[in-house]
Amino acid sequence: MGQMNRRTVRDLRRGNRSTLLRQLYFQGPVSRQELGALTGLSSGSVSNVVGELLADALVEDAGSVESDGGRPRTLLRVAPGSGHLIGVDVGETHVRVELFDLMLTELARWEHPLTPGGLERDPEPVVGHILTGLEAVVAKSGTEPETVIGVGVGVPGVVEQGDEVLVHGPTAGRDAVPLERLLRTGTDLPLFIDNGATAQGQAEMWFGAGRGADNAVIALIGSGVGAAIVTAGAPYRGATSSAGEWGHTVVQVGGRACRCGAVGCLEAYVGAQAVLDRYERAAPGDRPGERGTDGVGEGGAEGAGEDQQTAFAAIVAAAGTETRAREVLEETAAYLGAGIADLINLFNPERIILGGWAGLLLGGRVLPRIRAATASYALHRPYAQTEIGLAELGPDAVALGAATLPLAHFLATGGAR
C-alpha cells in the first residue's frame, strides 16, 4: 500500500508539472497568480511546482507587471535555452534537418537532395543522410548533445507504432522499413517518428492556422497528398496509424493510375506531378513559352533544369494569361473541392487548412474556386459551418512539425529528460 501511495503522489506531482509547464509554454509569460487561474491548482501547488521548474532551469523570470494595490507580479516563461529539439523532414525529394531551441527558434539547418522514393527503395543511404544531418546541425549550432531533448522524424507513408517502428511507403515500393532500428546504429538521441503530414498538422494546430480549433483537417499537397485529422484536439490515427492517407481516396472510378498501385486516387489528379502531367498533354502551341506571352520559358513547364516545384510554380503564374494553364488549375480546383467535400462530410471539422508547397501555390491562385467546388459537393449545413483557409507556417514546415514530436513528450512528462 505504501508503494502504491508513493507512486500516486509521484504521478500527481508529474501531472502538476506537466499542466503548469504546458500553460507556461503556450500562454507565457504569466504570473503565478495567473497560473493558478489557468490550471485550477492551489497557490501552494503552483508555488511548489514553479520552484522545481526554476531549480531545473526550465523556467525563468520574464520581468514583472504592476498589480492592483499590491507588489508587482513576477512573470514567468519557459527558458528557450534550457533544451534543444531537432526536426527531420524526410521528403520525397530531400532530407532536411533543423535544430531549434525549446521555443522552436531555428538555430541550424542542413539539407540533402534525394531521388524520389529513396526511403522505400534503398533506406540505408537515407538513414546515412539523416545521421550526417544530425551531426551537422549540432556542430553548426554549437549545441551540446546532452541538451538535445529528442529528434522528431517526419516521413511519407504509414508509420506503424509498436515494439518496433516500421514505415510503410506510400507507393508500390518496399514496405516495413525499420527506420528506428536503422537510425539507432548511429545515434543515441531519443527518437520520435511519425507521418510528416501528421507532424506538420500538429505544428499548425499549435502555432498556425489551427489555433483555437478542436476539430480540423490539415490537408497537405506537394509531390504527394496527405492530411492530418484532428478530432477533439487530438490526432486521429485509426486502428494501425494509417488514417490520413487522403491522397489515396478515390475520386474517379476506373480513373488515372496512381503510384500506390490503385486507380482514380485523389493524388493522381491534384498531386504536383499529376498537374504537371495534365499540363504537358496540352496541344502544341497552347503551353506557356511557345507563344512568348508569359514568363515560363521555352519548351513548356518542365524545361531543362527545372525541378518539380519550379515547374509547378510556373504553371500557377501562367494561369493569369495563358488559357491552358488556367484550365488545368480550374480542373485541379474541381477535383480538390470534391476531395475536401469528402473530408467535410466524413469528419465535420471546424476548419480545413490547405497547406504543403503545392497546396499553398494552388490556394494563393484558386482558393475561391476550391471553396466553390467544395460547396457543390459537400452537404450544405456542414460546409456552411466549416472554414477553408491556408496554412500559416509556410511550405516547408514538416521539420518544424517533426520537432513538436519530442516537444509533446517533453511537455507531457513535465520536462523529464
Side-chain angles (χ1 to χ4, degrees):
M1 180 66 70
Q3 179 67 27
M4 184 178 296
N5 288 338
R6 285 196 295 274
R7 185 179 301 115
T8 300
V9 171
R10 184 171 64 248
D11 291 344
L12 179 62
R13 292 183 66 182
R14 181 186 301 160
N16 288 345
R17 276 179 65 108
S18 175
T19 298
L20 283 173
L21 192 59
R22 285 185 65 88
Q23 291 297 333
L24 283 163
Y25 192 89
F26 291 108
Q27 305 296 332
V30 291
S31 66
R32 289 172 175 79
Q33 291 84 350
E34 289 171 314
L35 282 173
L38 288 168
T39 63
L41 295 175
S42 68
S43 58
S45 293
V46 170
S47 179
N48 288 337
V49 174
V50 166
E52 292 177 7
L53 294 173
L54 286 167
D56 292 342
L58 293 178
V59 170
E60 63 186 14
D61 287 349
S64 61
V65 292
E66 296 295 328
S67 61
D68 295 333
R71 294 184 300 174
R73 293 182 176 180
T74 300
L75 297 178
L76 302 167
R77 67 180 180 189
V78 171
S82 59
H84 297 89
L85 304 158
I86 296 177
V88 180
D89 171 13
V90 182
E92 305 244 0
T93 59
H94 63 263
V95 171
R96 181 179 297 118
V97 182
E98 299 179 28
L99 185 141
F100 306 87
D101 68 15
L102 195 54
M103 297 307 292
L104 292 175
T105 299
E106 183 183 315
L107 303 179
R109 174 184 292 217
W110 179 93
E111 189 166 347
H112 192 281
L114 287 181
T115 301
L119 181 61
E120 299 165 64
R121 296 189 182 94
D122 194 7
E124 283 77 12
V126 178
V127 168
H129 297 323
I130 295 172
L131 294 174
T132 298
L134 296 182
E135 293 179 0
V137 295
V138 169
K140 184 177 180 179
S141 64
T143 299
E144 295 295 331
E146 58 268 21
T147 69
V148 177
I149 293 167
V151 177
V153 185
V155 298
V158 176
V159 180
E160 185 178 348
Q161 307 284 351
D163 293 336
E164 182 174 44
V165 177
L166 301 174
V167 178
H168 303 279
T171 65
R174 174 179 172 182
D175 266 348
V177 175
L179 183 58
E180 183 178 21
R181 183 182 358 134
L182 293 172
L183 288 170
R184 277 280 162 248
T185 63
T187 183
D188 293 326
L189 293 172
L191 296 172
F192 303 83
I193 302 170
D194 210 334
N195 173 268
T198 301
Q200 186 170 346
Q202 180 164 269
E204 283 288 344
M205 293 299 294
W206 284 6
F207 309 112
R211 285 172 296 181
D214 288 326
N215 298 277
V217 179
I218 300 87
L220 302 173
I221 302 174
S223 299
V225 175
I229 302 161
V230 178
T231 61
Y236 176 73
R237 298 180 180 278
T240 58
S241 298
S242 70
E245 290 296 330
W246 175 53
H248 302 291
T249 56
V250 176
V251 294
Q252 179 67 60
V253 174
R256 295 187 63 192
C258 180
R259 60 185 180 146
C260 73
V263 295
C265 294
L266 179 66
E267 185 176 297
Y269 292 87
V270 306
Q273 192 57 51
V275 176
L276 294 174
D277 290 346
R278 279 208 312 280
Y279 178 78
E280 282 298 306
R281 291 199 301 270
D286 285 345
R287 294 181 296 182
E290 295 184 332
R291 292 181 179 178
T293 58
D294 53 74
V296 178
E298 191 68 33
E302 289 189 284
E306 291 186 290
D307 62 16
Q308 188 183 64
Q309 294 191 28
T310 301
F312 192 94
I315 294 176
V316 173
T321 58
E322 193 271 315
T323 301
R324 179 57 184 167
R326 183 166 57 253
E327 290 173 348
V328 168
L329 290 197
E330 289 179 355
E331 183 182 30
T332 302
Y335 280 113
L336 186 52
I340 292 175
D342 288 343
L343 295 173
I344 291 174
N345 292 345
L346 281 170
F347 298 106
N348 184 210
E350 300 165 65
R351 298 176 197 169
I352 298 284
I353 300 164
L354 183 61
W357 65 264
L360 290 173
L361 285 170
L362 283 170
R365 172 66 68 170
V366 294
L367 186 59
R369 295 273 188 177
I370 293 170
R371 288 172 174 154
T374 303
S376 68
Y377 292 109
L379 293 171
H380 173 72
R381 185 62 177 166
Y383 171 77
Q385 296 172 323
T386 305
E387 300 174 15
I388 302 175
L390 300 181
E392 294 179 356
L393 298 181
D396 299 319
V398 174
L400 175 67
T404 69
L405 301 175
L407 174 60
H409 182 266
F410 181 75
L411 295 176
T413 57
R417 299 284 181 169

